[in-house]
Amino acid sequence: MTTLESSAAPSAAAMTAASASAREGAARRFPKFLRPSRWAPIVVMVVVLAVLWQLVAEAMPYLLPPLDAVGKALASNPLYYLENAWITLQEALIGLAIAFVCSSVLAVAVSEVPVIRRAVMPVAVVLNVTPLVAIAPALVVAFGFGPEPKLIVTALICFFPILINLTVGLRSVPTPVLQLYRTVHASRAELLWHVRAPSALPYLFAALKIVFPLSIVGAVVAEMFAPGAADGLGTAISLASSNNQLAVVYTSIFILALMGASLLAIVTAVERRVLHWHETHRSESE
Amino acid sequence: MAANTAIRIAEARKVYGSGSSAMVALHDVDLEIPTGRFVSIIGPSGCGKSTLLRLIADLETPDAGSVEVLGGSAADACDGKHVGFVPQSPALLPWLNVLHNVTLPHKVNRGASRKRRAGAADARPMPDMEQLLRAVGLDDAMHKLPSELSGGMQQRVAIVRAMGLQPDVLLMDEPFSALDEFTREALQEQLLDLWDDTTATVVFVTHSVSEAVRLSDQVVVMAPRPGRIIDVIDVDLPRPRRWDRFTSDAFHHYENLIRECLQSAWHSPDLPSAA
C-alpha cells in the first residue's frame, strides 16, 4: 500500500506538469478561435437547439419539418436554392449600394448645411417610421414584378440607419480639433476629407453592421409580394408555404439566415482592419 | 511702432448671452504685445483669458473694439498660417500616427503655405518635421498612434504640430494643465528650448503663478466679473532660465507680486460699469 502511494504521488505530479505544458503548447499552436473554450459553447448550443427542434417536429409535424427533411430538400435540388439565393443577394446588395450613395451624399449635406438638415430630417424620420411591409405591395403594383420594387424597398429600409449614423459621425469631431484646423483656415472640404470623414468611420461601420443583414430582409419582403413571375428566396418561401412544403420553406429560411450572418461577418472583419486605431478594437487586441 | 507690436487689442468687449443672464467675458480690454515676447495671461476661471486668446486666434470676434494681429486682422493672420495654436487637450487625430498628425496642418490651406515659401519678406524652407519630433525626444514615437502615447508625449506632439508651421504668433491655452508636475516642468523647459530658436511671439494662458513667472517676459493679470486686465507685470529674470533659478529670491518676488495682484482683485468690489 505504502509503496503504491509513494510511487503514485510523483507520477501524478509529473502528469499535471506534462498536461500543463501540453496546454501551453496547444495555446501557442492554435489561433484563438480554434481553442475549445471558444467554439465549445456555440457547438453545445447548436446541438441543444437541434435536439429541441427535432422533438417538436416529431410531436407536431405541422409546426416544424424534421431536420433530415430540410437536409433532403436541399440535397434534392441544390441548384434551385443557389440560383434563388444569388438573385436575393444581388437585389439586397444593389439596393444597399443605392441607399449608401444616397444617404452618404445627404448626410454630408445635412451635416454641413443647417437649412438642409431642418428640411430633410423630419421627412427622413417619417419615412423611417412608415412600415415598409405596407409600402411593398404598392410598389409592386407601381413597378411590376421586375427587380425595381425589390431594389426600392431594400434601399428604403437601409437608407435611414446609414443617414442617421453618418450625420452623427460627421459631427462627432471634438471642438479643440475643429478650432485647431480653423486657426490655419482649413477649407470645409479639407475638414470634411481629413477630419470629419475619418471621424465618421466608426459610426458608418455601426450602421453597416445593421444594414447589411437588413438588406436581405428588404429584398425578401419585396419578393414575397411579387411571387410567381419573379425568382428569389422570398418568392420560393411564399410559393412553398402556399403548397404546404414546410421543408422547402425552412431550407430557404436557413439559407437566408446564413446569408445575413455571412454578410455581418464580412463587415465585422473589414471593420477590424479599417478601424484598428479605434478604441473598441484596441482594447480587444490587448 | 506697428512693426514692433505683434498683437494689439483695443477696447475689446465680448458678452455671452443677453438680458439679465448676460455674462461680460471681456470688458473693454486693451493690450499690446511686442513682437518676439513670451507673454502669459493669468487669472481665475471666468476672467476671460481664454476668450482673449480665442479673439487673437480668430475663433471669435469681439462685440466691440478691435483685434490686430501682425498689423492686420486676426483672420488675415490665420489665413496666412502665421498663427500656431496649442489647445488645452492635445487634439490629435486618433487614426493618424504622430508624424502624420504634425504634418496635416501643412496639407490644408496649401495656398497660404505656398505664398509664405514664395514671399520674399519671410521666405523660409519647410521645416523638417521628423527632426523637430526628434528634438523633443519623440524619435521612437514617430510612427505610433496617439493612443499609444502618454499624456505628456501627446502634448509634446501638439506643440511640435504648432511649431512646425513656423508661426509668428504662438497661442497656447493652458497646454500643461492636465499634466502631472514632473511632466509639466519638463515640457516647460522643452517649450523654452524650442522657442529660443524662433522669433515667435507667444501668448500663454495659464492658471499657475509659478508657470507664468518661469516662462514669461510679461505676465498679464486678469480678474473676473467682468473680465478685465488689472495689471501687467514685467518679469525681469535672465534667460536661459534653468532649474537653479527657480529657488532664487527674485523668482519668489515675482510670484508674490502676482499673487498679491490676484488677491486684491478678488477682494475688490465689481466695477459699477459692468453692465
Side-chain angles (χ1 to χ4, degrees), chain A residues 45-68:
Chain A
M45 187 70 195
V46 168
V47 168
V48 168
L49 284 177
V51 168
L52 283 177
W53 179 295
Q54 207 63 9
L55 288 177
V56 171
E58 271 164 32
M60 294 170 279
Y62 52 88
L63 203 66
L64 291 175
L67 284 175
D68 50 299

Side-chain angles (χ1 to χ4, degrees), chain B residues 38-51:
Chain B
F38 199 121
V39 176
S40 286
I41 303 176
I42 194 168
S45 41
C47 71
K49 52 190 196 297
S50 287
T51 305

Side-chain angles (χ1 to χ4, degrees), chain B residues 103-195:
Chain B
T103 45
L104 186 53
H106 297 279
K107 293 178 185 159
V108 299
N109 188 7
R110 278 170 179 279
S113 307
R114 232 176 287 124
K115 227 179 288 167
R116 270 190 85 174
R117 309 274 162 248
D122 54 353
R124 270 174 280 187
M126 171 143 151
D128 183 351
M129 296 310 288
E130 291 190 27
Q131 199 185 324
L132 213 49
L133 285 170
R134 264 184 233 113
V136 296
L138 289 169
D139 322 40
D140 300 330
M142 220 171 281
H143 300 289
K144 282 185 180 166
L145 292 173
S147 54
E148 294 171 280
L149 307 183
S150 67
M153 287 167 98
Q154 291 187 15
Q155 202 53 273
R156 263 185 275 175
V157 176
I159 292 171
V160 168
R161 179 181 53 195
M163 285 289 195
L165 291 168
Q166 296 176 309
D168 295 304
V169 174
L170 181 63
L171 305 175
M172 308 181 83
D173 190 3
E174 301 185 29
F176 304 146
S177 59
L179 305 176
D180 65 82
E181 192 160 352
F182 303 108
T183 312
R184 191 183 314 153
E185 285 178 0
L187 259 69
Q188 287 167 355
E189 197 147 320
Q190 278 186 331
L191 174 63
L192 288 180
D193 284 344
L194 284 173
W195 177 64

Side-chain angles (χ1 to χ4, degrees), chain B residues 41-50 174 205-208 220-225 227-228 230 261-263 265-266:
Chain B
I41 303 176
I42 194 168
S45 41
C47 71
K49 52 190 196 297
S50 287
E174 301 185 29
V205 169
T206 179
H207 50 222
S208 157
V220 175
V221 185
M222 294 185 73
R225 283 179 300 270
R228 63 197 190 277
I230 48 171
C261 201
L262 286 165
Q263 281 292 324
W266 197 251

Side-chain angles (χ1 to χ4, degrees), chain B residues 222-237:
Chain B
M222 294 185 73
R225 283 179 300 270
R228 63 197 190 277
I229 293 173
I230 48 171
D231 207 349
V232 177
I233 295 166
D234 285 309
V235 180
D236 192 14
L237 291 172

